[in-house]
Amino acid sequence: MKNKLRVLRAEAGWTQADLAERLGVSRQAVNALETEKHAPSLDLAFRISALFGRRIEDIFENPYGESVA
């Protein structure tokens, strides 16, 4: 899933390990998200959103376009 996680992390001046610690996940999990190998769970997406103070839609691209209806 395309995302802006790497950019947001860099803007915050955090390493992948720093972000992982703040989110309660492994550094490998952060790497998998940043390299778009895995999509976050809904819970993790909400935690990332809250951590960066942004809407989920501003961090993660909707793979279904603007609307699924």
Side-chain angles (χ1 to χ4, degrees):
M1 174 180 287
K2 292 192 181 287
N3 65 74
K4 299 177 183 170
L5 196 53
R6 184 184 309 246
V7 171
L8 294 172
R9 177 180 59 78
E11 287 175 353
W14 298 337
T15 64
Q16 286 184 343
D18 294 333
L19 179 56
E21 184 176 331
R22 286 171 168 81
L23 293 172
V25 299
S26 68
R27 186 201 58 76
Q28 291 84 354
V30 170
N31 181 268
L33 291 170
E34 286 187 355
T35 58
E36 302 170 5
K37 291 180 180 166
H38 294 287
S41 66
L42 186 56
D43 176 68
L44 183 55
F46 273 108
R47 286 188 281 150
I48 292 168
S49 172
L51 181 64
F52 288 107
R54 302 208 182 190
R55 299 178 321 148
I56 290 173
E57 307 92 283
D58 294 336
I59 301 172
F60 298 97
E61 182 178 300
N62 180 349
Y64 303 106
E66 291 296 317
S67 174
V68 292

